[in-house]
């Protein structure tokens, strides 16, 4: 049966405009869109309605609860990467997916992909020295700046590296923007603003206006600095554009930092990645005879050119303690019946924060909602797929990522070392935390407007009378902060969404209040534990949506793309030969 049940029994030949013409929110009439440059025919051969309904009906709230309870039990110790909890988790997932009849989906016929990790702990006894003809000043680690190195070396540093202010530090061809165009920063220390010019100006025509682009993320600033050959990148912290206060930066960037390790031990990355407080920035600009706020205003203007900071130089030495380890991405698959080389991915992170023996009382970060519930969902969706006859035309992969909580490391490693070729990977659906407060009228897409996958979500939600809404706070950059993002960054379209706040029984205000309270009381805390009181009716709605989105992809030959103006479109188009 075709997608949308057109009433035809033919199993092939659907016009190119099929998808956009049939989705409820599509705006172009079908008759015209065949001439709009689309050349591939999109064919969708779904199993019968009855078969789909039966598969959907098999998804059991009871089993979601059972799987979640096992994964979130104290015995699993909070599922920290490289721990006994990891062993138990991988073993449990292997047994469960095997018993459902899935095949190993990892490297060399195994269920896993090994992910090499390194833990680097910088000696806090360091200071950032800024000097020029007018004198010098040493800034205090923690209170005034933080810095570390991704390089796997015992000591690293630089002396008298010239300082350059590079504005937002963005090289964004799709927005006609290049902060590095007029400057060579090889060996220099760049000072860069957080977020992007669109957020700074709230101009909807600049970047993506209020919504953060990848150019606004700190990860991007460091990556671009490395591409430009800089010795160090110092990001100026301001609370509003960063979306968190200095305390978060100080806690997050000091102490042990987990990283992936490349073959060259990360020597291709900048020697020092750091943040400076707003006060530190103001002081350094003053030493350079510049006004920080004036320079910041200039950096918001198209055509901005980087500004050398007088005769100022920076010096910094970092000593590290290094510990190498490894962890595992878990991968299971249902091989495709007709196009097994094409892959649809369901993903969710299995890891959480482990056990902290220094805590009084409860020491286990059980991570029941985040993300034992998401892994339980992968198992239930996998089982539903096994009941479909005929089976999916494309291979469906179920991927439990590791070290998400350490900075998307498992997904980041996979994206750089894909088990399945990225140009054959149709899309990824990321599941991170089930809703526990009941059924809703709405569904929120994080990164709404980025890709044609939105249409699939709109249609799947319409089947259960739900409306799709954009993420209400796109300036926080949530799209860049979960595991689908490393794939998106490599060009693979990715969907990340779930129940909104508009609770069917209690209304929107109540729904938002429950969610806010949960975040305040339980998010990333030892109290994120399983409770029989969870209302999983909204989760069951979400699961049916995720199942449908994957179904519409796994039984089709469509390769949905990124929308015009997204950071990832050029890369996808290149790999797909578009
Ligand atoms: Zn999570």
């Amino acid at each position: 049966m075709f997608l949308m049940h057109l009433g035809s029994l033919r199993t092939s030949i659907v016009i190119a405009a099929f998808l956009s013409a049939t989705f409820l929110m599509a705006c172009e009439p079908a008759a015209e869109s065949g001439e709009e440059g689309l050349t591939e025919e999109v064919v969708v051969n779904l199993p019968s309605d009855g078969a789909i309904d039966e598969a959907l009906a098999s998804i059991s709230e009871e089993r979601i609860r059972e799987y979640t309870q096992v994964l979130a039990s104290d015995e699993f110790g909070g599922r920290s990467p490289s721990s006994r909890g990891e062993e138990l988790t991988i073993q449990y997932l292997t047994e469960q997916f095997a018993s459902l009849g899935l095949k190993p989906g990892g490297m060399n016929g195994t269920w896993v992909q090994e992910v090499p990790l390194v833990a680097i702990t910088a000696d806090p006894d360091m200071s950032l020295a800024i000097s020029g003809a007018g004198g010098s000043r040493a800034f205090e680690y923690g209170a005034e700046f933080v810095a570390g190195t991704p390089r796997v070396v015992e000591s690293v540093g630089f002396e008298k590296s010239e300082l350059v202010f590079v504005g937002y530090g963005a090289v964004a061809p799709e927005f006609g923007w290049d902060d590095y165009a007029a400057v060579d920063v090889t060996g220099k220390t760049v000072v860069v603003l957080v977020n992007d010019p669109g957020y700074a100006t709230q101009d909807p025509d600049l970047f993506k206006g209020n919504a953060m682009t990848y150019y606004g993320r700190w990860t991007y600033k460091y990556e671009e600095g490395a591409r430009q050959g800089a010795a160090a990148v110092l990001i100026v912290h301001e609370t509003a554009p960063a979306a968190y206060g200095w305390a978060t930066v100080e806690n997050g960037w000091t102490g042990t930092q987990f990283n992936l390790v490349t073959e060259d031990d990360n020597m291709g990355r900048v020697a020092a990645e750091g943040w400076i407080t707003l006060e530190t920035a103001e002081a350094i600009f003053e030493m350079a005879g510049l006004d920080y706020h004036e320079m910041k205003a200039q950096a918001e203007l198209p055509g901005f050119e980087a500004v050398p900071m007088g005769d100022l130089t920076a010096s910094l030495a970092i000593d590290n303690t290094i510990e190498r380890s490894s962890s595992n991405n878990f991968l299971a698959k249902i091989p495709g019946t007709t196009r097994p080389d094409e892959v649809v991915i369901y993903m969710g992170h299995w890891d959480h924060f482990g056990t902290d023996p220094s805590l009084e009382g409860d020491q286990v970060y059980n991570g029941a909602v985040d993300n034992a519930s998401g892994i339980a969902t992968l198992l239930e969706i996998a089982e539903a797929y096994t009941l479909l006859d005929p089976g999916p035309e494309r291979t469906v992969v179920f991927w439990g990522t590791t070290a998400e909580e350490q900075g998307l490391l498992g997904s980041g490693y996979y994206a750089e070392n894909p088990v399945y070729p990225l140009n054959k990977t149709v899309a990824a659906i990321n599941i991170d935390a089930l809703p526990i407060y009941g059924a809703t009228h709405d569904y929120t897409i994080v990164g709404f407007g980025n890709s044609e996958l939105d249409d699939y979500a709109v249609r799947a939600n319409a089947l259960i009378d739900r409306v799709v809404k954009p993420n209400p706070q796109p300036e926080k950059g949530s799209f860049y902060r979960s595991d689908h993002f490393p794939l998106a960054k490599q060009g693979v379209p990715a969907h990340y969404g779930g129940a909104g706040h508009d609770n069917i029984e209690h209304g929107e205000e109540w729904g938002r209040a429950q969610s806010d309270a949960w975040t305040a009381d339980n998010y990333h805390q030892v109290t994120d534990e399983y409770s029989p009181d969870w209302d999983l009716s909204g989760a069951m709605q979400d699961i049916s949506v995720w199942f449908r989105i994957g179904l519409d992809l796994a039984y089709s030959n469509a390769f949905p793309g990124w929308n015009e103006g997204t950071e990832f479109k050029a890369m996808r188009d290149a790999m797909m030969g578009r």
Side-chain angles (χ1 to χ4, degrees), residues 74-407:
D74 282 356
E75 190 196 350
F76 279 56
R79 307 184 308 281
S80 153
S82 316
S83 70
R84 168 78 183 141
E86 165 162 359
E87 274 173 50
L88 290 171
T89 303
I90 298 293
Q91 188 189 333
Y92 182 69
L93 293 180
T94 302
E95 287 166 8
Q96 297 301 320
F97 276 101
S99 79
L100 294 176
L102 271 78
K103 301 278 181 275
M107 298 295 289
N108 309 316
T110 71
W111 296 90
V112 296
Q113 176 189 41
E114 195 181 332
V115 178
L117 297 175
V118 64
I120 303 178
T121 311
D123 183 345
D125 185 19
M126 67 168 104
S127 74
L128 172 68
I130 304 291
S131 44
S136 63
R137 187 169 159 188
F139 291 91
E140 190 192 333
Y141 180 73
E144 296 180 314
F145 85 102
V146 293
T149 185
R151 296 184 180 177
V152 189
V153 288
E154 283 179 359
S155 62
V156 68
F158 47 88
E159 268 195 63
K160 300 218 178 305
S161 157
E162 285 175 42
L163 276 176
V164 184
F165 174 58
V166 296
Y168 287 92
V171 180
E174 67 276 36
F175 301 123
W177 196 281
D178 186 353
D179 286 319
Y180 287 95
V183 68
D184 177 2
V185 298
T186 308
K188 297 178 184 171
T189 294
V190 301
V191 176
V192 59
L193 302 169
V194 71
N195 216 312
D196 65 35
Y199 175 83
T201 57
Q202 294 287 305
D203 176 351
D205 297 326
L206 208 51
F207 285 63
K208 285 191 183 167
N210 180 57
M212 189 191 277
T213 61
Y214 185 52
Y215 303 105
R217 289 283 295 157
W218 54 266
T219 44
Y220 170 79
K221 316 275 182 188
Y222 296 144
E223 287 164 3
E224 191 56 49
R227 280 190 286 272
Q228 300 288 338
V233 176
L234 300 175
I235 301 173
V236 180
H237 173 263
E238 291 197 55
T239 300
Y244 37 76
W246 179 255
T248 301
V249 175
E250 191 176 341
N251 292 336
W253 266 261
T254 56
T256 299
Q257 305 291 308
F258 283 86
N259 247 306
L260 294 173
V261 201
T262 57
E263 263 171 35
D264 70 350
D265 278 343
N266 300 339
M267 295 306 283
R269 294 172 63 179
V270 291
E273 300 177 342
W275 289 78
I276 54 179
T277 64
L278 175 59
E279 293 71 26
T280 301
E282 287 168 340
I284 294 174
F285 275 77
E286 202 180 317
M287 288 173 75
L290 299 167
D291 180 82
Y292 168 72
H293 298 276
E294 231 166 71
M295 296 309 298
K296 185 178 148 188
Q298 281 188 28
E300 294 166 0
L301 302 173
F304 167 78
E305 288 187 356
V307 179
M309 297 183 69
D311 64 348
L312 291 190
T313 62
S315 303
L316 181 68
I318 302 172
D319 293 316
N320 295 311
T321 309
I322 291 163
E323 205 179 324
R324 293 176 193 263
S325 63
S326 76
S327 183
N328 291 283
N329 284 322
F330 176 87
L331 293 139
K333 70 179 173 187
I334 298 172
T337 51
T338 60
R339 289 189 303 286
D341 57 326
E342 297 176 0
V343 173
V344 175
I345 295 178
Y346 283 96
M347 63 193 296
H349 68 93
W350 61 255
D351 70 298
H352 199 58
F353 289 103
T355 301
D356 182 353
S358 74
L359 293 178
E360 292 276 332
D362 190 355
Q363 302 178 331
V364 181
Y365 289 88
N366 303 79
V369 167
D370 183 14
N371 186 31
S373 69
I375 296 297
T377 301
L378 294 188
L379 280 160
E380 276 305 283
I381 292 179
E383 179 168 9
Y385 270 94
T386 64
L387 301 176
L388 292 164
D389 188 18
E393 297 187 346
R394 288 167 155 165
T395 295
V396 183
V397 170
F398 296 86
W399 171 18
T401 66
T402 183
E404 190 267 358
E405 306 285 16
Q406 316 287 351

